[in-house]
């Protein structure tokens, strides 16, 4: 039966016009969006970094973004979205389309620790994200104010056991790795230290130098300059290997503490369901990033090291290992961020 025989002429005309408009709209949408992952990127890619501009993590993200943009044939833009130990950026990216245009600069804090310290976390690291690849690793170092007379972990343990709770340590915030790393050490040696949380590692280091606190853990970028000028005394490296800048400082394993999950890491996370082809291209861009001698020198200047492995498994394995370690510790210590 002809369309015109079922509808009055005016209604039939309007119906046909609507069909035509819908078809035109569909065609326009098809032209505006990439037809497949092979067309990615057709517009700038945003990487949301959960720290403020400035500092080593931000410098790493910007260097990687500039390099990766060229490798994937597009533009990668860094957007800083700090706050709540990285959970604000993570929650935002988790809700974005899985099309490769919104990525998260993930870390130990927002992928492995936050699920245990926040009871109402607005994202789930495994349910809402696909791991892409690690980008870099870094270590932290525990330092003491020279006036404490503490020159080694042995000194720290003896002094802490002589006066339980008297020594204090600063951190970049409750549940931050600078908090949990020291708590991990203290639990192993059965010593009691008082925790003083700050809004960032920099103010904690300033108070250490000023004598307001006794100890603090910080990334190498923040700690090494203070060590070199004699304003801080390095005690132990929170990492798998000794670092070239502090060759005489032992690792946490070397002072007898076993089970530490390894170096802190920064990696790339994508909303769940992101096409594997995009994940592969981002991983390959990261491989080339670290193969460039100029990049390696630039990264060495901010104490970043190349991951031992790349790809989704490199992130997923660390997340599982860290969750197995930090989950029970957070529970035992009662660490809460809400």
């Amino acid at each position: 039966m002809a369309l015109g025989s079922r509808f009055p002429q005016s209604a039939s005309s309007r119906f046909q016009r609507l069909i035509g408009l819908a078809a035109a709209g569909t065609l326009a949408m098809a032209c505006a969006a990439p037809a497949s992952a092979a067309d990615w990127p057709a517009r700038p890619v945003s990487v949301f970094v959960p720290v403020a501009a400035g500092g080593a993590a931000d410098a790493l993200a910007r260097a990687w973004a500039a390099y990766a943009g060229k490798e994937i044939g597009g533009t990668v833009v860094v957007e800083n979205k700090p706050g709540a130990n990285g959970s604000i950026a993570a929650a935002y990216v988790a809700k974005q389309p899985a099309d490769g245009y919104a990525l998260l600069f993930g870390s130990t804090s927002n992928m492995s620790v936050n699920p245990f310290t926040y009871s109402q976390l607005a994202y789930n690291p495994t349910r809402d994200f696909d791991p892409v690849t690690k980008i870099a690793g870094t270590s932290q170092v525990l330092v003491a104010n020279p006036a404490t007379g503490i020159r080694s972990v042995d000194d720290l343990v003896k002094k802490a056991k002589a006066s339980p709770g008297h020594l204090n340590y600063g951190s970049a915030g409750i549940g931050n790795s600078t908090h949990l790393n020291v708590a991990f050490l203290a639990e192993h040696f059965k010593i009691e230290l008082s925790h003083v949380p700050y809004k960032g590692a920099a103010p904690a280091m300033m108070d250490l130098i000023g004598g307001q606190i006794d100890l603090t853990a910080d990334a190498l970028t923040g700690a090494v300059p203070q060590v070199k000028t004699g304003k801080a005394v390095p005690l132990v490296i929170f990492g798998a290997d000794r670092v070239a800048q502090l060759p005489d400082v032992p690792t946490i394993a070397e002072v007898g503490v076993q089970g530490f999950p390894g170096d802190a890491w920064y990696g790339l996370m994508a909303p769940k369901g992101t096409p594997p082809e995009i994940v592969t291209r981002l991983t390959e861009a990261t491989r080339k990033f670290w193969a460039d001698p100029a990049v390696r020198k630039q990264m060495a200047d901010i104490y970043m090291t190349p991951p031992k492995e790349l790809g989704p498994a490199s992130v997923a394995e660390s997340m599982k290992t860290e969750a197995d370690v930090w989950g029970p510790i957070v529970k035992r210590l009662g660490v809460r961020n809400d």
Side-chain angles (χ1 to χ4, degrees):
M1 182 181 293
L3 185 63
S5 65
R6 297 180 58 193
F7 294 95
Q9 185 61 40
S10 58
S12 175
S13 299
R14 286 197 299 271
F15 186 68
Q16 291 178 19
R17 283 199 299 272
L18 287 172
I19 291 175
L21 288 171
T26 301
L27 179 62
M29 289 176 65
C31 293
S36 69
D39 299 312
W40 176 90
R43 53 187 170 86
V45 174
S46 292
V47 175
F48 291 86
V49 178
V51 296
D58 181 65
L60 166 66
R62 292 179 184 278
W64 178 88
Y67 198 97
K70 295 175 184 177
E71 289 298 323
I72 65 174
T75 301
V76 180
V77 180
V78 169
E79 299 195 34
N80 298 92
K81 212 172 186 64
N85 214 27
S87 63
I88 292 175
Y92 176 80
V93 176
K95 296 177 175 62
Q96 303 309 303
D99 56 8
Y101 291 102
L103 305 170
L104 173 69
F105 206 64
S107 68
T108 303
S109 293
N110 59 20
M111 290 292 107
S112 303
V113 176
N114 282 356
F116 300 103
T117 60
Y118 287 88
S119 60
Q120 299 294 326
L121 199 61
Y123 66 96
N124 181 299
T126 56
R127 182 195 65 213
D128 297 333
F129 289 99
D130 284 331
V132 177
T133 186
K134 283 187 179 177
I135 294 177
T138 190
S139 298
Q140 290 178 6
V141 57
L142 177 64
V143 295
N145 181 287
T148 63
I150 297 170
R151 298 294 182 268
S152 66
V153 170
D154 282 344
D155 290 345
L156 169 61
V157 173
K158 290 174 184 176
K159 196 158 189 168
K161 287 190 173 180
S163 301
H166 179 73
L167 291 173
N168 58 37
Y169 69 98
S171 77
I174 296 172
N176 186 270
S177 57
T178 54
H179 170 201
L180 296 180
N181 285 348
V182 182
F184 185 91
L185 182 78
E187 184 177 64
H188 172 83
F189 286 110
K190 297 180 173 57
I191 58 176
E192 183 181 341
L193 303 173
S194 297
H195 177 221
V196 183
Y198 288 80
K199 293 182 178 180
M205 181 61 75
M206 291 303 296
D207 271 7
L208 177 104
I209 294 169
Q212 283 76 40
I213 58 175
D214 303 310
L215 307 151
T216 194
D218 200 353
L220 295 172
T221 46
V224 170
Q226 309 307 330
V227 171
K228 296 298 186 185
T229 58
K231 296 177 181 177
V233 179
L235 305 180
V236 64
I237 298 292
F238 290 111
D241 303 303
R242 292 199 182 199
V243 298
Q245 298 82 3
L246 302 171
D248 298 326
V249 181
T251 67
I252 189 167
E254 289 175 324
V255 298
V257 182
Q258 302 303 316
F260 188 75
D263 294 350
W265 56 269
Y266 298 104
L268 211 58
M269 309 296 293
K272 181 68 75 174
T274 297
E277 298 92 333
I278 292 176
V279 170
T280 299
R281 289 177 64 187
L282 289 166
T283 299
E284 187 56 29
T286 306
R287 192 181 310 280
K288 292 180 179 179
F289 174 77
W290 280 107
D292 189 320
V295 166
R296 282 182 171 263
K297 182 180 183 306
Q298 182 185 8
M299 293 298 98
D301 290 342
I302 56 172
Y303 310 103
M304 295 290 173
T305 57
K308 291 181 173 62
E309 295 181 4
L310 296 174
S314 67
V315 178
E317 289 170 6
S318 285
M319 286 172 61
K320 183 182 184 308
T321 300
E322 290 166 348
D324 290 344
V325 172
W326 295 127
I329 289 177
V330 166
K331 186 176 181 179
R332 286 197 299 272
L333 296 177
V335 178
R336 304 304 307 170
N337 265 315
D338 49 14

